[in-house]
Amino acid sequence: MATLTQEMKDMIGAQLSFIATTDATGYPQIGPKGTLRVLDDHHLIYNEHTGKQAWQNVQVNPRVVVATVDHPKFKGFRFEGPVEIHTDDEIFASAKKFAADSGHLPEPKAAIVVDITKIYLLDAGPHAGDLIEG
C-alpha cells in the first residue's frame, strides 16, 4: 500500500485527473474523471456517472492507472492499483452526497475506490517514470 503525500493530495485537488482502464481483451481506454478526489492517505475515489467504457472495464478488469499533472510546472504523478466498486453502502451514500453538493449530474451509478499500490513520478526530466513508492 502506497501513501499519498500532501503535495500529491494538493495536486489531485487542483488538477483534472485521467484514469486508464482496459477491457476484457486488454484494449486500453483513458478519460478524464472530474470527480476524482482523495479518500484517505492510501485511496482515491471517483463517482461513476456515465456507465460507459471505464465503468464496463472496471467490472471485468478491476485495475486502474490514474494520472494527475500540473502542466505549467511539468510535474505529476501516476497512481496504480486495484479498485473496489461501491453501489449500496456508506461510501456510495457519501459519493451521492458529494455529487449533489457539487452539482455533478446525473446521480452516480457507483463510487469507485482505488487502492493505491504504486506511485510513479510524471515530472519532466531524468526522473520521469521513476517508481517512488510501492
PDB file of all heavy atoms in Angstrom, residues 5 7-8 11-12 15 67-78 120-125 127-128 132:
ATOM      1  N   THR A   5       1.383  11.832  -0.366  1.00  0.00           N
ATOM      2  CA  THR A   5       1.952  12.971   0.352  1.00  0.00           C
ATOM      3  C   THR A   5       0.979  14.140   0.257  1.00  0.00           C
ATOM      4  O   THR A   5       0.035  14.124  -0.548  1.00  0.00           O
ATOM      5  CB  THR A   5       3.290  13.396  -0.274  1.00  0.00           C
ATOM      6  OG1 THR A   5       3.045  13.870  -1.607  1.00  0.00           O
ATOM      7  CG2 THR A   5       4.288  12.238  -0.297  1.00  0.00           C
ATOM      8  N   GLU A   7       1.681  16.993  -1.015  1.00  0.00           N
ATOM      9  CA  GLU A   7       1.860  17.540  -2.362  1.00  0.00           C
ATOM     10  C   GLU A   7       0.971  16.802  -3.369  1.00  0.00           C
ATOM     11  O   GLU A   7       0.338  17.432  -4.222  1.00  0.00           O
ATOM     12  CB  GLU A   7       3.329  17.423  -2.785  1.00  0.00           C
ATOM     13  CG  GLU A   7       3.587  17.901  -4.195  1.00  0.00           C
ATOM     14  CD  GLU A   7       5.004  17.650  -4.669  1.00  0.00           C
ATOM     15  OE1 GLU A   7       5.682  16.724  -4.148  1.00  0.00           O
ATOM     16  OE2 GLU A   7       5.429  18.371  -5.580  1.00  0.00           O
ATOM     17  N   MET A   8       0.913  15.486  -3.268  1.00  0.00           N
ATOM     18  CA  MET A   8       0.067  14.693  -4.161  1.00  0.00           C
ATOM     19  C   MET A   8      -1.403  15.018  -3.947  1.00  0.00           C
ATOM     20  O   MET A   8      -2.164  15.200  -4.907  1.00  0.00           O
ATOM     21  CB  MET A   8       0.304  13.201  -3.934  1.00  0.00           C
ATOM     22  CG  MET A   8       1.664  12.722  -4.324  1.00  0.00           C
ATOM     23  SD  MET A   8       1.905  11.023  -3.728  1.00  0.00           S
ATOM     24  CE  MET A   8       3.646  10.825  -4.043  1.00  0.00           C
ATOM     25  N   MET A  11      -2.242  18.353  -5.458  1.00  0.00           N
ATOM     26  CA  MET A  11      -2.286  18.312  -6.917  1.00  0.00           C
ATOM     27  C   MET A  11      -3.575  17.640  -7.398  1.00  0.00           C
ATOM     28  O   MET A  11      -4.223  18.116  -8.329  1.00  0.00           O
ATOM     29  CB  MET A  11      -1.068  17.584  -7.480  1.00  0.00           C
ATOM     30  CG  MET A  11      -0.977  17.685  -8.993  1.00  0.00           C
ATOM     31  SD  MET A  11       0.469  16.876  -9.689  1.00  0.00           S
ATOM     32  CE  MET A  11       1.774  17.931  -9.071  1.00  0.00           C
ATOM     33  N   ILE A  12      -3.960  16.552  -6.762  1.00  0.00           N
ATOM     34  CA  ILE A  12      -5.199  15.864  -7.131  1.00  0.00           C
ATOM     35  C   ILE A  12      -6.398  16.797  -6.946  1.00  0.00           C
ATOM     36  O   ILE A  12      -7.300  16.837  -7.776  1.00  0.00           O
ATOM     37  CB  ILE A  12      -5.366  14.560  -6.314  1.00  0.00           C
ATOM     38  CG1 ILE A  12      -4.316  13.540  -6.751  1.00  0.00           C
ATOM     39  CG2 ILE A  12      -6.780  14.001  -6.455  1.00  0.00           C
ATOM     40  CD1 ILE A  12      -4.139  12.390  -5.779  1.00  0.00           C
ATOM     41  N   GLN A  15      -6.055  19.691  -9.934  1.00  0.00           N
ATOM     42  CA  GLN A  15      -5.901  19.372 -11.353  1.00  0.00           C
ATOM     43  C   GLN A  15      -6.947  18.355 -11.808  1.00  0.00           C
ATOM     44  O   GLN A  15      -7.474  17.593 -11.003  1.00  0.00           O
ATOM     45  CB  GLN A  15      -4.500  18.803 -11.618  1.00  0.00           C
ATOM     46  CG  GLN A  15      -3.362  19.690 -11.185  1.00  0.00           C
ATOM     47  CD  GLN A  15      -3.319  21.010 -11.929  1.00  0.00           C
ATOM     48  OE1 GLN A  15      -3.705  21.105 -13.088  1.00  0.00           O
ATOM     49  NE2 GLN A  15      -2.852  22.047 -11.253  1.00  0.00           N
ATOM     50  N   ALA A  67      -3.560   9.343 -13.724  1.00  0.00           N
ATOM     51  CA  ALA A  67      -2.508  10.322 -13.960  1.00  0.00           C
ATOM     52  C   ALA A  67      -3.024  11.705 -13.608  1.00  0.00           C
ATOM     53  O   ALA A  67      -4.117  12.096 -14.028  1.00  0.00           O
ATOM     54  CB  ALA A  67      -2.053  10.287 -15.411  1.00  0.00           C
ATOM     55  N   THR A  68      -2.220  12.427 -12.822  1.00  0.00           N
ATOM     56  CA  THR A  68      -2.524  13.796 -12.437  1.00  0.00           C
ATOM     57  C   THR A  68      -1.286  14.627 -12.713  1.00  0.00           C
ATOM     58  O   THR A  68      -0.201  14.272 -12.257  1.00  0.00           O
ATOM     59  CB  THR A  68      -2.899  13.884 -10.941  1.00  0.00           C
ATOM     60  OG1 THR A  68      -3.993  13.013 -10.686  1.00  0.00           O
ATOM     61  CG2 THR A  68      -3.266  15.294 -10.550  1.00  0.00           C
ATOM     62  N   VAL A  69      -1.454  15.718 -13.473  1.00  0.00           N
ATOM     63  CA  VAL A  69      -0.301  16.520 -13.883  1.00  0.00           C
ATOM     64  C   VAL A  69      -0.604  17.999 -13.724  1.00  0.00           C
ATOM     65  O   VAL A  69      -1.689  18.459 -14.067  1.00  0.00           O
ATOM     66  CB  VAL A  69       0.061  16.232 -15.360  1.00  0.00           C
ATOM     67  CG1 VAL A  69       1.179  17.132 -15.850  1.00  0.00           C
ATOM     68  CG2 VAL A  69       0.433  14.763 -15.540  1.00  0.00           C
ATOM     69  N   ASP A  70       0.379  18.715 -13.212  1.00  0.00           N
ATOM     70  CA  ASP A  70       0.347  20.172 -13.201  1.00  0.00           C
ATOM     71  C   ASP A  70       1.190  20.602 -14.392  1.00  0.00           C
ATOM     72  O   ASP A  70       2.423  20.660 -14.311  1.00  0.00           O
ATOM     73  CB  ASP A  70       0.925  20.703 -11.887  1.00  0.00           C
ATOM     74  CG  ASP A  70       0.842  22.218 -11.776  1.00  0.00           C
ATOM     75  OD1 ASP A  70       0.858  22.902 -12.827  1.00  0.00           O
ATOM     76  OD2 ASP A  70       0.779  22.711 -10.638  1.00  0.00           O
ATOM     77  N   HIS A  71       0.531  20.853 -15.522  1.00  0.00           N
ATOM     78  CA  HIS A  71       1.245  21.120 -16.773  1.00  0.00           C
ATOM     79  C   HIS A  71       2.207  22.307 -16.697  1.00  0.00           C
ATOM     80  O   HIS A  71       3.351  22.192 -17.128  1.00  0.00           O
ATOM     81  CB  HIS A  71       0.264  21.287 -17.938  1.00  0.00           C
ATOM     82  CG  HIS A  71       0.943  21.441 -19.246  1.00  0.00           C
ATOM     83  ND1 HIS A  71       0.982  22.632 -19.906  1.00  0.00           N
ATOM     84  CD2 HIS A  71       1.645  20.556 -20.002  1.00  0.00           C
ATOM     85  CE1 HIS A  71       1.675  22.489 -21.018  1.00  0.00           C
ATOM     86  NE2 HIS A  71       2.080  21.239 -21.108  1.00  0.00           N
ATOM     87  N   PRO A  72       1.796  23.457 -16.153  1.00  0.00           N
ATOM     88  CA  PRO A  72       2.740  24.577 -16.108  1.00  0.00           C
ATOM     89  C   PRO A  72       4.025  24.263 -15.330  1.00  0.00           C
ATOM     90  O   PRO A  72       5.079  24.794 -15.633  1.00  0.00           O
ATOM     91  CB  PRO A  72       1.951  25.697 -15.429  1.00  0.00           C
ATOM     92  CG  PRO A  72       0.524  25.374 -15.712  1.00  0.00           C
ATOM     93  CD  PRO A  72       0.466  23.860 -15.700  1.00  0.00           C
ATOM     94  N   LYS A  73       3.935  23.387 -14.351  1.00  0.00           N
ATOM     95  CA  LYS A  73       5.113  23.036 -13.550  1.00  0.00           C
ATOM     96  C   LYS A  73       5.847  21.815 -14.092  1.00  0.00           C
ATOM     97  O   LYS A  73       6.892  21.444 -13.565  1.00  0.00           O
ATOM     98  CB  LYS A  73       4.703  22.775 -12.095  1.00  0.00           C
ATOM     99  CG  LYS A  73       4.189  24.009 -11.394  1.00  0.00           C
ATOM    100  CD  LYS A  73       3.837  23.697  -9.955  1.00  0.00           C
ATOM    101  CE  LYS A  73       3.309  24.934  -9.253  1.00  0.00           C
ATOM    102  NZ  LYS A  73       2.914  24.652  -7.868  1.00  0.00           N
ATOM    103  N   PHE A  74       5.296  21.164 -15.124  1.00  0.00           N
ATOM    104  CA  PHE A  74       5.867  19.926 -15.667  1.00  0.00           C
ATOM    105  C   PHE A  74       6.129  18.917 -14.549  1.00  0.00           C
ATOM    106  O   PHE A  74       7.180  18.302 -14.461  1.00  0.00           O
ATOM    107  CB  PHE A  74       7.151  20.200 -16.463  1.00  0.00           C
ATOM    108  CG  PHE A  74       6.875  20.911 -17.749  1.00  0.00           C
ATOM    109  CD1 PHE A  74       7.048  22.280 -17.838  1.00  0.00           C
ATOM    110  CD2 PHE A  74       6.415  20.216 -18.856  1.00  0.00           C
ATOM    111  CE1 PHE A  74       6.774  22.955 -19.028  1.00  0.00           C
ATOM    112  CE2 PHE A  74       6.150  20.869 -20.045  1.00  0.00           C
ATOM    113  CZ  PHE A  74       6.330  22.249 -20.132  1.00  0.00           C
ATOM    114  N   LYS A  75       5.126  18.766 -13.685  1.00  0.00           N
ATOM    115  CA  LYS A  75       5.225  17.869 -12.545  1.00  0.00           C
ATOM    116  C   LYS A  75       3.937  17.064 -12.458  1.00  0.00           C
ATOM    117  O   LYS A  75       2.858  17.583 -12.730  1.00  0.00           O
ATOM    118  CB  LYS A  75       5.428  18.680 -11.269  1.00  0.00           C
ATOM    119  CG  LYS A  75       5.619  17.843 -10.042  1.00  0.00           C
ATOM    120  CD  LYS A  75       6.217  18.667  -8.924  1.00  0.00           C
ATOM    121  CE  LYS A  75       6.592  17.793  -7.755  1.00  0.00           C
ATOM    122  NZ  LYS A  75       7.518  16.735  -8.045  1.00  0.00           N
ATOM    123  N   GLY A  76       4.057  15.794 -12.077  1.00  0.00           N
ATOM    124  CA  GLY A  76       2.861  14.990 -11.947  1.00  0.00           C
ATOM    125  C   GLY A  76       3.142  13.656 -11.301  1.00  0.00           C
ATOM    126  O   GLY A  76       4.287  13.329 -10.960  1.00  0.00           O
ATOM    127  N   PHE A  77       2.073  12.882 -11.144  1.00  0.00           N
ATOM    128  CA  PHE A  77       2.160  11.572 -10.510  1.00  0.00           C
ATOM    129  C   PHE A  77       1.245  10.594 -11.234  1.00  0.00           C
ATOM    130  O   PHE A  77       0.206  10.973 -11.766  1.00  0.00           O
ATOM    131  CB  PHE A  77       1.731  11.650  -9.037  1.00  0.00           C
ATOM    132  CG  PHE A  77       2.574  12.584  -8.229  1.00  0.00           C
ATOM    133  CD1 PHE A  77       2.153  13.875  -7.984  1.00  0.00           C
ATOM    134  CD2 PHE A  77       3.806  12.170  -7.736  1.00  0.00           C
ATOM    135  CE1 PHE A  77       2.924  14.755  -7.245  1.00  0.00           C
ATOM    136  CE2 PHE A  77       4.596  13.043  -6.999  1.00  0.00           C
ATOM    137  CZ  PHE A  77       4.154  14.337  -6.744  1.00  0.00           C
ATOM    138  N   ARG A  78       1.643   9.336 -11.208  1.00  0.00           N
ATOM    139  CA  ARG A  78       0.813   8.239 -11.716  1.00  0.00           C
ATOM    140  C   ARG A  78       0.567   7.294 -10.549  1.00  0.00           C
ATOM    141  O   ARG A  78       1.495   6.865  -9.873  1.00  0.00           O
ATOM    142  CB  ARG A  78       1.518   7.509 -12.858  1.00  0.00           C
ATOM    143  CG  ARG A  78       0.657   6.419 -13.469  1.00  0.00           C
ATOM    144  CD  ARG A  78       1.303   5.824 -14.714  1.00  0.00           C
ATOM    145  NE  ARG A  78       2.368   4.915 -14.336  1.00  0.00           N
ATOM    146  CZ  ARG A  78       3.549   4.863 -14.942  1.00  0.00           C
ATOM    147  NH1 ARG A  78       3.855   5.673 -15.922  1.00  0.00           N
ATOM    148  NH2 ARG A  78       4.450   3.986 -14.548  1.00  0.00           N
ATOM    149  N   TYR A 120       4.264   6.636  -9.250  1.00  0.00           N
ATOM    150  CA  TYR A 120       5.382   6.980 -10.126  1.00  0.00           C
ATOM    151  C   TYR A 120       5.425   8.489 -10.335  1.00  0.00           C
ATOM    152  O   TYR A 120       4.385   9.149 -10.318  1.00  0.00           O
ATOM    153  CB  TYR A 120       5.207   6.329 -11.501  1.00  0.00           C
ATOM    154  CG  TYR A 120       5.241   4.834 -11.493  1.00  0.00           C
ATOM    155  CD1 TYR A 120       4.089   4.101 -11.217  1.00  0.00           C
ATOM    156  CD2 TYR A 120       6.410   4.135 -11.774  1.00  0.00           C
ATOM    157  CE1 TYR A 120       4.103   2.720 -11.221  1.00  0.00           C
ATOM    158  CE2 TYR A 120       6.434   2.754 -11.787  1.00  0.00           C
ATOM    159  CZ  TYR A 120       5.283   2.046 -11.502  1.00  0.00           C
ATOM    160  OH  TYR A 120       5.300   0.675 -11.502  1.00  0.00           O
ATOM    161  N   LEU A 121       6.620   9.020 -10.596  1.00  0.00           N
ATOM    162  CA  LEU A 121       6.771  10.421 -10.972  1.00  0.00           C
ATOM    163  C   LEU A 121       6.408  10.609 -12.433  1.00  0.00           C
ATOM    164  O   LEU A 121       6.773   9.782 -13.268  1.00  0.00           O
ATOM    165  CB  LEU A 121       8.220  10.879 -10.787  1.00  0.00           C
ATOM    166  CG  LEU A 121       8.689  11.206  -9.381  1.00  0.00           C
ATOM    167  CD1 LEU A 121      10.163  11.586  -9.411  1.00  0.00           C
ATOM    168  CD2 LEU A 121       7.869  12.335  -8.781  1.00  0.00           C
ATOM    169  N   LEU A 122       5.734  11.693 -12.742  1.00  0.00           N
ATOM    170  CA  LEU A 122       5.494  12.080 -14.126  1.00  0.00           C
ATOM    171  C   LEU A 122       6.155  13.424 -14.415  1.00  0.00           C
ATOM    172  O   LEU A 122       5.737  14.152 -15.290  1.00  0.00           O
ATOM    173  CB  LEU A 122       3.991  12.156 -14.414  1.00  0.00           C
ATOM    174  CG  LEU A 122       3.232  10.838 -14.388  1.00  0.00           C
ATOM    175  CD1 LEU A 122       1.762  11.059 -14.722  1.00  0.00           C
ATOM    176  CD2 LEU A 122       3.847   9.827 -15.344  1.00  0.00           C
ATOM    177  N   ASP A 123       7.195  13.756 -13.653  1.00  0.00           N
ATOM    178  CA  ASP A 123       7.916  15.004 -13.857  1.00  0.00           C
ATOM    179  C   ASP A 123       8.706  14.953 -15.155  1.00  0.00           C
ATOM    180  O   ASP A 123       9.139  13.889 -15.594  1.00  0.00           O
ATOM    181  CB  ASP A 123       8.907  15.245 -12.715  1.00  0.00           C
ATOM    182  CG  ASP A 123       8.244  15.378 -11.358  1.00  0.00           C
ATOM    183  OD1 ASP A 123       7.018  15.229 -11.276  1.00  0.00           O
ATOM    184  OD2 ASP A 123       8.968  15.624 -10.383  1.00  0.00           O
ATOM    185  N   ALA A 124       8.907  16.112 -15.747  1.00  0.00           N
ATOM    186  CA  ALA A 124       9.800  16.202 -16.892  1.00  0.00           C
ATOM    187  C   ALA A 124      11.230  16.003 -16.410  1.00  0.00           C
ATOM    188  O   ALA A 124      11.573  16.345 -15.283  1.00  0.00           O
ATOM    189  CB  ALA A 124       9.649  17.560 -17.561  1.00  0.00           C
ATOM    190  N   GLY A 125      12.065  15.407 -17.255  1.00  0.00           N
ATOM    191  CA  GLY A 125      13.471  15.273 -16.911  1.00  0.00           C
ATOM    192  C   GLY A 125      13.891  13.844 -16.659  1.00  0.00           C
ATOM    193  O   GLY A 125      13.159  12.895 -16.964  1.00  0.00           O
ATOM    194  N   HIS A 127      14.039  11.895 -14.145  1.00  0.00           N
ATOM    195  CA  HIS A 127      13.335  11.012 -13.217  1.00  0.00           C
ATOM    196  C   HIS A 127      11.910  10.689 -13.667  1.00  0.00           C
ATOM    197  O   HIS A 127      11.146  10.067 -12.911  1.00  0.00           O
ATOM    198  CB  HIS A 127      13.344  11.605 -11.809  1.00  0.00           C
ATOM    199  CG  HIS A 127      14.727  11.720 -11.265  1.00  0.00           C
ATOM    200  ND1 HIS A 127      15.481  10.636 -10.903  1.00  0.00           N
ATOM    201  CD2 HIS A 127      15.510  12.808 -11.072  1.00  0.00           C
ATOM    202  CE1 HIS A 127      16.659  11.029 -10.489  1.00  0.00           C
ATOM    203  NE2 HIS A 127      16.705  12.347 -10.581  1.00  0.00           N
ATOM    204  N   ALA A 128      11.565  11.113 -14.875  1.00  0.00           N
ATOM    205  CA  ALA A 128      10.231  10.815 -15.419  1.00  0.00           C
ATOM    206  C   ALA A 128       9.995   9.311 -15.406  1.00  0.00           C
ATOM    207  O   ALA A 128      10.836   8.537 -15.880  1.00  0.00           O
ATOM    208  CB  ALA A 128      10.087  11.364 -16.825  1.00  0.00           C
ATOM    209  N   ILE A 132       8.285   5.803  -7.143  1.00  0.00           N
ATOM    210  CA  ILE A 132       8.677   6.461  -5.889  1.00  0.00           C
ATOM    211  C   ILE A 132       8.092   5.771  -4.659  1.00  0.00           C
ATOM    212  O   ILE A 132       8.564   5.993  -3.564  1.00  0.00           O
ATOM    213  CB  ILE A 132       8.346   7.969  -5.888  1.00  0.00           C
ATOM    214  CG1 ILE A 132       6.864   8.219  -6.105  1.00  0.00           C
ATOM    215  CG2 ILE A 132       9.189   8.691  -6.915  1.00  0.00           C
ATOM    216  CD1 ILE A 132       6.467   9.680  -5.944  1.00  0.00           C
TER     217      ILE A 132
END
